[in-house]
Amino acid sequence: EQAIIAKLSQSVPEHLQANLLSLHAFLTAQEALTPEQRVAIQTVWAANRRITAIEGPTGTGKTALIKPLIELAKMSGYT
């Protein structure tokens, strides 16, 4: 996970890099998520876009990402 954070930090604006450490703590607490789901959340959160699509086969856990992403957004001040 540290390698992923380091890689994502390279593409994240400097003012958002501190948020990646908070993101790491948040994801560590999300025990129900698979490692792949954690990477998906990190990727979505680090993307400097308003809309990001997640695609994958049925049963891969895409829907399970919604609740943690909403919680993360609320913690970050989005309403």
Side-chain angles (χ1 to χ4, degrees), residues 15-79:
H15 69 283
L16 295 177
Q17 288 183 13
N19 290 338
L20 284 178
L21 294 177
S22 298
L23 174 62
H24 177 68
F26 173 81
L27 290 174
T28 300
Q30 303 296 314
E31 296 176 358
L33 296 175
T34 66
E36 294 83 5
Q37 289 170 318
R38 287 186 175 98
V39 169
I41 290 175
Q42 290 172 331
T43 302
V44 168
W45 200 251
N48 197 15
R49 299 181 188 103
R50 296 185 78 171
I51 296 174
T52 302
I54 299 173
E55 63 180 350
T58 303
T60 57
K62 298 175 301 294
T63 303
L65 300 176
I66 295 171
K67 184 177 179 183
L69 281 169
I70 290 171
E71 186 178 340
L72 186 58
K74 287 180 179 178
M75 288 172 44
S76 299
Y78 293 95
T79 57

